[in-house]
Amino acid sequence: MPRNHLLVVDDEVSILATLKKVLSLEGYSVDVAGGVAVALEKMDRCSYDLALLDVALPDGNGVELLEKWRALGHTLPVLMMSGHASVDIAVRATKLGATDFLEKPLNTDRLLLLIKNTLRLVRAEAEAHALRCQTGVSSDLIGDSKVMLALRDQITRCARAQATVIVRGERGTGKELVARAIHAQSKRADGPLEKLNCAAVPNELIESELFGHEAGAFTGATKQRRGKFERASGGTLFLDEVGDMPLSMQAKLLRVLQERELERVGGDDTIRIDVRVVAATNRNLEEACESGEFRPDLYDRLNVLPLDIPPLRARRDDIPILSRHFLDVARGINERPAMTFSDGAVRALTEYNFPGNVRELRNLVERLVILTPGDTIDEHAVARCLGLGHAKTASGVYRPGTPFRLLVEDCERSILDEAIRHHGGQMASTARALGLERSHLYKKCKALGLRESKTNIGEDSAN
Ligand SMILES: Nc1ncnc2c1ncn2[C@@H]1O[C@H](COP(=O)(O)OP(=O)(O)OP(=O)(O)O)[C@@H](O)[C@H]1O
Ligand SMILES: [Mg+2]
């Protein structure tokens, strides 16, 4: 491994000499600078892996120097050292991305450990970044549990093949992410990726969505329109919630998958298609076949390469890393850069069952970032947040400090939750009773992270 190159900036000659000796003995190559001007010059000429930076310098101060480096685009990790740093200075340095603050006199063991850990972290991040660039979207799939490693492997193998893939998993497990990763790693990656959510499109429109239509094919079809299959030509068509496709449409889809050609609605021309289909479902399609809700012949067609994503509770090892990932994202969006989880919070998250899987975890973390006043999210905050979003009456919904959007979502969630329960989980009758389109109810439930119940297709087609 190449030697790491460090820069030490301090005004005291004796400190520079000691640090140079200690760090060189540890195998680092070390440069020193006695002030801001020299440090700027050295940084200009050389590239360093890490800098140790004193606060009080003869020609300026360390925080200003750090500010200049950052402005010049130097992203290296910086450890600040000071005998008497004020909170103010520490805050400024942290905002500029200083990794840590060391009290003088320096404890050599602690210093060496900190340098080692910091360099290791930076290296790991660089490697992860390189991997992301190499493999495209797939590394956006966070998690390093055995299950996830096996899943990544399967994704790569499915991507190489041309056959239809069916991604199976509970809601919120990452089926769409996996489908996108398969496309991104396939030979079709430069082609389009089109998606159709079979549960969200009203039954009477699904055929024209998939196959397109000619002008005048039906009321409202004023212009010719290409469907998803044609748009996905040369690429991948992602059929989400394929288990919710109406039976009549299943027969037509089967034909297209077999013949590799289609006619637009209201048209006679046969159009050849060059599309790879990736389907996803959170329903047990074998059961659906047995109960007559899904065509077994279509199931066989789709089930060439099945890919199962286990629920989050079956891979709890992934929860800490996923939580931190979502925290990073939410910190950025909500401009709360200093937020962290306490160990207790991570433990509480790891113990929770997450019926809504990764999506529920993501929403929970976003909520925690918005609702937690301080910089540390502890186990109490997690427990409080897990209690939210459940049954709530119309009065007492106002919580000072909670954004309007979240309050409204909480109300919507409890209304839909109650309504679905009242109708024994039947989405079609719930939708009817609420005066909503079934597809709209589905979308709403999904957006709110609500469990959608098994749909009774017979009932739906009467809808
Ligand atoms: N392994 C993962 N790493 C990072 N983010 C993930 C992972 N798995 C899921 N997510 C995130 O969780 C959310 C839900 O994922 P996705 O939409 O792919 O799930 P799904 O299985 O398609 O859900 P549904 O059945 O409700 O459609 C998304 O925001 C996605 O980015
Ligand atoms: Mg999905």
Side-chain angles (χ1 to χ4, degrees), residues 33-289:
V36 172
V38 183
L40 278 171
E41 201 188 301
K42 296 223 165 184
M43 186 63 78
D44 192 33
R45 269 189 282 133
C46 222
S47 116
Y48 295 96
D49 299 302
L50 181 145
L52 286 167
L53 197 48
D54 188 20
V55 173
L57 294 167
D59 54 346
N61 79 54
V63 179
E64 285 163 15
L65 175 58
L66 177 56
E67 206 161 21
K68 284 190 185 129
W69 278 347
R70 295 301 190 228
L72 291 167
H74 299 299
T75 54
L76 81 170
V78 170
L79 302 175
M80 304 294 296
M81 320 179 275
S82 173
H84 37 257
S86 67
V87 174
D88 200 36
I89 286 189
V91 168
R92 263 179 77 198
T94 312
K95 278 198 177 142
L96 291 165
T99 308
D100 213 333
F101 234 93
L102 292 155
E103 294 253 8
K104 281 183 176 176
L106 296 170
N107 171 332
T108 317
D109 289 340
R110 179 166 141 65
L111 175 69
L112 291 175
L113 187 68
L114 198 59
I115 293 178
K116 205 167 121 197
N117 286 342
T118 305
L119 289 170
R120 188 187 301 150
L121 188 74
V122 171
R123 208 161 36 236
E125 277 171 2
E127 278 164 11
H129 180 73
L131 195 72
R132 263 198 297 283
C133 296
Q134 259 171 33
T135 54
V137 190
S138 82
S139 55
D140 283 343
L141 272 171
I142 311 280
D144 46 18
S145 61
K146 274 203 188 118
V147 172
M148 279 305 289
L149 295 181
L151 186 66
R152 284 211 189 86
D153 199 51
Q154 268 186 299
I155 290 172
T156 310
R157 267 182 281 160
C158 285
R160 281 192 211 122
Q162 282 296 321
T164 307
V165 180
I166 183 144
V167 186
R168 303 185 293 205
E170 291 182 10
R171 70 204 172 91
T173 44
K175 295 184 293 296
E176 178 154 355
L177 221 52
V178 166
R180 290 181 183 281
I182 292 172
H183 171 72
Q185 290 185 42
S186 73
K187 286 201 199 91
R188 298 172 169 268
D190 291 333
L193 171 67
E194 287 286 333
K195 169 185 165 180
L196 183 82
N197 185 333
C198 305
V201 180
N203 289 358
E204 63 279 11
L205 285 184
I206 197 162
E207 183 175 2
S208 104
E209 277 295 311
L210 274 178
F211 303 159
H213 61 246
E214 299 293 342
F218 48 85
T219 329
T222 47
K223 280 192 288 198
Q224 184 206 64
R225 187 156 176 269
R226 294 181 324 145
K228 297 278 181 189
F229 265 107
E230 273 184 81
R231 287 166 202 245
S233 186
T236 307
L237 175 60
F238 174 40
L239 290 179
D240 203 3
E241 317 277 6
V242 74
D244 285 299
M245 186 175 275
L247 272 170
S248 59
M249 193 59 217
Q250 291 176 23
K252 293 179 182 159
L253 174 65
L254 176 66
R255 213 209 96 209
V256 170
L257 292 180
Q258 280 167 342
E259 319 273 325
R260 304 252 136 220
E261 54 188 36
L262 56 81
E263 286 95 41
R264 295 191 190 114
V265 177
D268 310 316
D269 293 344
T270 299
I271 299 163
R272 296 281 316 156
I273 52 156
D274 165 29
V275 171
R276 199 248 184 117
V277 171
V278 176
T281 180
N282 56 17
R283 305 185 59 188
N284 182 329
L285 287 189
E286 273 135 24
E287 270 175 30
C289 285

